[in-house]
Amino acid sequence: MPATDEVQALESIGLDVLEWQSQLDIAVGTRRRDEDRLLRGHLFDLARFHCLVAKQESPRDRSSMLASRGGMILDAVIPLLLRTRDHAGLFEVIEWMRYDLGDSRMPSTPRNLVRFGQVLGGSEDATGVYALPPPVALSVCGRSILQAADPGVDVVAEANEVRKALAGERSAWWTHMFHKGSLIWALLTPDGVYGGAERLDASTRQALQTHIRALPLPLSEDADLLDGEESAWLPSVIAIARAAAGPLVQSQETLDQCIAAVPESVAVRLSEAFPHIHDILDDVYSVLGRWMIPDELVDYLARYAADARLLVSVQPEVASIPTSLLRTPDGQALVEQAVQVYAPPVRIAVDIMRRPSRPAAADSHLLIRNPRGDLPNSDLPVQGSRVLSGWGSASGTHEVASRDVVLNALREETSCTEPSALSYLGHIEAGVFGDPASAALLLAPNSPGSVGSCLSARDMSMAQVKMPDRIYLGGCEGAGFATSLEWSSIGTASLALGSDVVIAHRWPIIDGPHAGLVDQECIKLVADGVDPAARLGLLQRQWLRLWRERTGSCTPPHFWAGLQVIGRSVPVEELMPQG
């Protein structure tokens, strides 16, 4: 370390001792080809940089900083970790980077895939600027490379303890990110930690593009089908038609309904663009499985067999890919081989780990259904202990799902000492990119015929409500992962405000009977409360088998393959009192 007079000299030019040391490490490490020292210097830069980004109140400033410098630091860190085979360090850095709110995208992903819900109309939340809490790190197998490089980094927990607390003693934690044309992955198992990188080749790129086109999201390529027509609803109908012809839906009936609903010139183009249904589900997710699933994960699945459980971390670039459908080399889907739990960001995951768990059946269940009154009628039975809905179906103002009524209901849930649940069946506004907690539930207007109200994640936080223990978000994209809005999502806000687990979809869901069936089952999951990830996995395996056999009224994968149990879900036997 520098002497006292050197420290004073460094401080006089605005450089602290650790910054000076990091620059020295980079310079000396480069000259001497000392990779350990070079890595330490770059890790310090990475840690300090993200802490500085978090302090910026403007989302635009954060994005600008991340775009201009964030990738450059990572460009140096990732290759060093891979070359030195520091897989524990790689795991730590990937989880640290879940905090990165940059706007990097996989090159094959249409950029407007993540732009389908950016503005909360007329809401002050859409224009506010907010700083973020500083990022935090995990130690992995007893060490933190980030804290070793910068003692100011806050290490909040050991990754193995988080893994066991959220998914079970025998689980493995699989985390991955996309960087510089490669999938960077790490796997933390009861037996060790592994890591690596896999390039995005031409066949994988094509499979990924096929998957993206199978989602009911407006894409830039749809402009050719509009034939100059300008309409607020046409892009959505075209997106649904494209999804109907794709591998996740495969519904000629839905495609025909879309063609019948659009102007004649557009209908002709739709018929030409989608002349037949594509039954290529296994082909697409076998290719993506070969890219995403490492041999070490296959070995874990074989070793632990019926006890295999995965805690999965996803980042925006790969978040819309349904891990449940990924195929391993033996042809089985991942959902057939492991229970899957999804990890929230580190800070929230650790909060959940430290809370007492209440896995028993819900004593109180708040059901909010169709608050805007614009969803198809369904035969969904009323299963909540309290039901709120739109003006058209409510018997009085106390049953209308307006903002004030919903907030009051959540405040009542806050005082509940027994396990509680919430199911929301409606629309979710995804939020504003880079603006934490801007996602919102779209609710009923305060009076019939007036403009509908909304309840944002920030509103929930400011109201100081404790969210119910278990939540099902039947609205589209409640998790926010696939839109790079993870920190803005209703799911993340609920977990931060006391929920143990949130079940949410990865993508928008096409309304109809199939959606209603999945809603019914997910409502039961949050009401029951015992190991919801295992129970959802059982349902998904049943739906997958029926879909393969095409028996009865089988539900297409679009409606259930993107469901994710986020938070804590451990085996029943681990919930039993010890001793």
Side-chain angles (χ1 to χ4, degrees), residues 114-322:
V114 299
R115 302 299 183 189
F116 72 91
Q118 288 202 347
V119 179
L120 294 175
S123 170
E124 294 180 358
D125 289 346
T127 57
V129 290
Y130 302 91
L132 303 177
V136 293
L138 292 169
S139 62
V140 183
C141 301
R143 60 187 274 265
S144 166
I145 59 171
L146 285 164
Q147 190 180 64
D150 179 4
V153 168
D154 184 14
V155 175
V156 291
E158 160 62 41
N160 269 305
E161 296 305 313
V162 178
R163 171 185 63 80
K164 291 184 285 187
L166 266 59
E169 291 278 346
R170 298 166 68 83
S171 65
W173 190 346
W174 181 31
T175 185
H176 40 259
M177 63 182 291
F178 188 81
H179 181 69
K180 301 292 283 188
S182 293
L183 183 76
I184 314 298
W185 63 271
L187 180 69
L188 179 64
T189 76
D191 309 304
V193 58
Y194 312 92
E198 190 70 29
R199 292 290 299 176
L200 177 68
D201 60 21
S203 62
T204 306
R205 185 186 300 269
Q206 183 176 0
L208 181 64
Q209 290 173 334
T210 301
H211 161 71
I212 289 169
R213 293 189 183 107
L215 305 179
L217 293 168
L219 302 178
S220 56
E221 63 191 56
D222 297 341
D224 296 336
L225 300 173
L226 289 173
D227 193 33
E229 294 277 354
E230 294 186 4
S231 168
W233 57 271
L234 265 180
S236 295
V237 175
I238 289 176
I240 292 172
R242 179 170 23 79
L248 289 171
V249 179
Q250 299 182 36
S251 171
Q252 185 66 51
E253 179 183 3
T254 302
L255 178 58
D256 291 343
Q257 290 172 345
C258 291
I259 292 174
V262 300
E264 184 176 353
S265 60
V266 179
V268 171
R269 289 173 178 261
L270 277 180
S271 299
E272 294 173 348
F274 310 118
H276 52 79
I277 301 302
H278 299 286
D279 187 5
I280 53 174
L281 185 78
D282 289 345
D283 295 338
V284 171
Y285 297 105
S286 292
V287 173
L288 292 176
R290 286 196 297 271
W291 178 55
M292 292 187 68
I293 299 176
D295 292 341
E296 291 83 352
L297 177 52
V298 175
D299 293 342
Y300 164 81
L301 295 173
R303 179 171 183 176
Y304 285 85
D307 293 328
R309 299 175 69 94
L310 286 179
L311 181 63
V312 186
S313 293
V314 293
Q315 289 196 341
E317 294 86 353
V318 293
S320 73
I321 299 173

Side-chain angles (χ1 to χ4, degrees), residues 485-554:
L485 291 166
E486 180 179 9
W487 279 97
S488 306
S489 74
I490 295 294
T492 300
S494 298
L495 293 166
L497 293 172
S499 295
D500 212 42
V501 67
V502 171
I503 301 177
H505 292 276
R506 291 175 182 264
W507 50 67
I509 299 300
I510 300 171
D511 298 325
H514 292 306
L517 171 65
V518 173
D519 284 340
Q520 284 188 20
E521 296 298 336
C522 289
I523 288 174
K524 294 175 185 176
L525 291 184
V526 295
D528 178 78
V530 176
D531 200 359
R535 294 188 61 198
L536 176 61
L538 178 61
L539 286 169
Q540 289 177 317
R541 289 192 293 276
Q542 292 173 349
W543 286 325
L544 179 59
R545 177 176 53 80
L546 292 173
W547 178 249
R548 285 172 173 167
E549 297 171 354
R550 296 297 199 278
T551 56
S553 180
C554 54

